[in-house]
Amino acid sequence: REIDEVTPADYYAYLEKGKPQFAALKRLDAAFEKAVSEARREKVGKAPAIWLVYNMGLLVKTRETFFSVDLCHRLAPTLAKELDFALITHNHNDHYTRAFYRAMDGEAHKTVVNNFECNYGARSNPYHNGKPSEFGGGFTRGGKEFQFRDVSIRTSASDHNDYLIGFTMPFEISVGGFTLFHTGDTSRVEQLNPVRRPDLWVVHPRVGLSVAEGVKRFKPKTTVIAHLNEFTHPKDKYRWTWADGLEEQAKAESAGGKAVVPVWGERLA
């Protein structure tokens, strides 16, 4: 009910003014602060620690790195100096914010692996007297592999829908024996071909692909049903609810898999 009170216009006003006037937006800020606080304190072992912040946005901490995937929150720019790098699946404002990209690229000179911005800031930005990122620039159309300390990343290209072709960039992220498969807004499951069996598959289930088919194809150990209650979408169109997530969870489980429907700020691994 609290989520339904917030219109897209209310959400954009919150992003601009930074004042959560609605209970759901206060919860969203609290979820961000919870995830960040836990990540800062966490002593990571062999497997990474992973939190869902909002929508499909993740914070990931390994023994040697701290990074994000599709982090989309008004407070995300405050993490630019702490994050080692960031991954963004595609150029839609429910998967990143311009303020976060500017903070990472232009101010902190960090690598942002993405398929739509040059990321020159990671190579050093003379206007800010910055130093080059140790990882270099992160622009790619997919099909490129990255090694960031103990994190191996394999990128690919996928369709968002029948007119945004090759628009989304899935990430197969491996840390030791653990694999996180984040597929953003991929609409065609046949375009998803992870090399390793995912420990976690983070998926948008209502963009066209079949979660059940994905479970059968590459057998993730756990499927994370994400992209729920997105505030940029009106509540009567494309704002999929927790109930929608539970329906998709049931489909994944009917295909023989395990699935979860996390809430904001929840730890996934």
Side-chain angles (χ1 to χ4, degrees), residues 173-218:
I173 305 162
S174 296
V175 182
F178 186 98
T179 296
L180 165 65
F181 193 35
H182 192 298
T183 55
D185 286 1
T186 300
S187 64
R188 296 175 56 190
V189 74
E190 64 270 20
Q191 294 179 324
L192 301 176
N193 298 290
V195 172
R196 297 168 58 169
R197 181 188 180 192
D199 291 270
L200 287 182
W201 175 29
V202 181
V203 61
H204 179 354
R206 294 282 172 107
V207 76
L209 58 69
S210 165
V211 172
E213 185 179 344
V215 168
K216 293 175 182 176
R217 278 176 62 91
F218 41 85

Side-chain angles (χ1 to χ4, degrees), residues 135-180:
F135 304 128
F139 175 82
T140 175
R141 294 293 188 188
K144 183 177 180 180
E145 297 183 4
F146 296 84
Q147 185 70 44
F148 298 152
R149 299 180 190 154
D150 58 344
V151 181
S152 300
I153 302 169
R154 176 176 170 265
T155 67
S156 57
S158 64
D159 301 344
H160 187 301
N161 48 41
D162 60 359
Y163 57 93
L164 295 176
I165 305 302
F167 190 78
T168 298
M169 185 161 59
F171 294 107
E172 183 178 353
I173 305 162
S174 296
V175 182
F178 186 98
T179 296
L180 165 65

